[in-house]
Amino acid sequence: YADFGTRGAPGYFRVLFVDVLQGVARSESIITLPMPVHVDDFSLIGDNAVAVDLEMDGFRVFLLELNVHLTDLKERMAALVQLMIGFWWDSQELTRELAEEKRERYVSNWRDHAAKRALTLRERQSDAGQMQRAIKTLPPGAGIFLANVLMAKRGLSLPWHKRRMNRLERRDYLAIADLIEQNLGKGWFSFDQFEEAPAVETDASKKGRFAGGGYLSRCGRY
């Protein structure tokens, strides 16, 4: 037994569960479907709900034979819309959405912390973890909003060590809070259903008394 909050424990669990138990199950063809694992949370993915459930049942029996027990309260049957690692995943729309209670708690927490003069290392670590999860509902590249938050942790070694909030860090806290409120904590995990946008030509002009620009799209807009 190990407390997942202690250093090293998640790594030990990965060696035990992913490398050993899941590896053996795959070698014995007990598991054949993709199984993403996030610390101690995992799921099977397939295009047939019955087949997914049957394979998970077989994996559960395999684990019980080795005296490894799963938490019944957290188990869910295969579904097109499923809750996993804090997100609602929609297999048809290809979206993931933060659970509503998490979204509201995250945004409220960020706004409260943005109003403070200083934050501890523990607070910054918690905020960074929440932001890292939340920006997965934003378009690629949104991780740039974490840059100043992560920089502010440098040099702080103990949980109660404090550092004043600077203008850039405060701005990013509020920016992420605004974006997650606007998209309601929902975004796409795959862009396979999107069509390629028409090509666009752009140009700019700058003179002593004028600066401007324009665009021409293959769709006809200009």
Side-chain angles (χ1 to χ4, degrees), residues 110-150:
W110 299 333
R111 294 200 183 281
D112 288 344
H113 283 185
K116 290 187 174 183
R117 293 186 60 187
L119 294 177
T120 65
L121 174 60
R122 185 187 298 276
E123 289 172 326
R124 283 190 164 97
Q125 288 174 330
S126 176
D127 293 341
Q130 293 174 359
M131 292 175 180
Q132 191 172 23
R133 170 175 285 177
I135 62 176
K136 292 184 181 296
T137 66
L138 298 173
I144 190 65
F145 287 107
L146 273 172
N148 292 306
V149 178
L150 297 177

Side-chain angles (χ1 to χ4, degrees), residues 5 25 30 41 70 105 118 120 148 151 175 209:
I30 296 170
D41 199 358
L70 303 181
R105 187 173 75 250
T120 65
N148 292 306
M151 286 289 291
R209 296 185 178 182

Side-chain angles (χ1 to χ4, degrees), residues 93 100 136:
E93 299 296 327
E100 185 176 1
K136 292 184 181 296

Side-chain angles (χ1 to χ4, degrees), residues 3-117:
D3 174 12
F4 285 113
T6 58
R7 180 176 299 180
Y12 298 146
F13 180 84
R14 177 174 179 82
V15 172
L16 168 67
F17 185 77
V18 179
D19 297 341
V20 179
L21 298 179
Q22 187 177 335
V24 172
R26 287 199 179 280
S27 72
E28 298 294 322
S29 297
I30 296 170
I31 298 177
T32 60
L33 298 170
M35 178 184 279
V37 181
H38 182 81
V39 189
D40 62 339
D41 199 358
F42 60 93
S43 66
L44 282 176
I45 298 176
D47 55 10
N48 183 287
V50 174
V52 170
D53 290 333
L54 285 174
E55 188 157 305
M56 185 61 82
D57 286 338
F59 185 52
R60 184 190 295 104
V61 171
F62 165 76
L63 293 177
L64 285 174
E65 291 175 350
L66 299 175
N67 204 29
V68 176
H69 299 262
L70 303 181
T71 306
D72 294 338
L73 291 175
K74 292 186 176 181
E75 289 187 13
R76 296 180 178 87
M77 304 295 285
L80 292 176
V81 179
Q82 187 60 277
L83 179 65
M84 182 191 172
I85 59 175
F87 290 107
W88 284 102
W89 301 78
D90 190 319
S91 300
Q92 293 180 303
E93 299 296 327
L94 303 185
T95 60
R96 59 183 162 206
E97 180 180 4
L98 274 173
E100 185 176 1
E101 63 276 8
K102 287 185 181 291
R103 186 189 77 233
E104 293 177 350
R105 187 173 75 250
Y106 288 176
V107 171
S108 175
N109 180 59
W110 299 333
R111 294 200 183 281
D112 288 344
H113 283 185
K116 290 187 174 183
R117 293 186 60 187

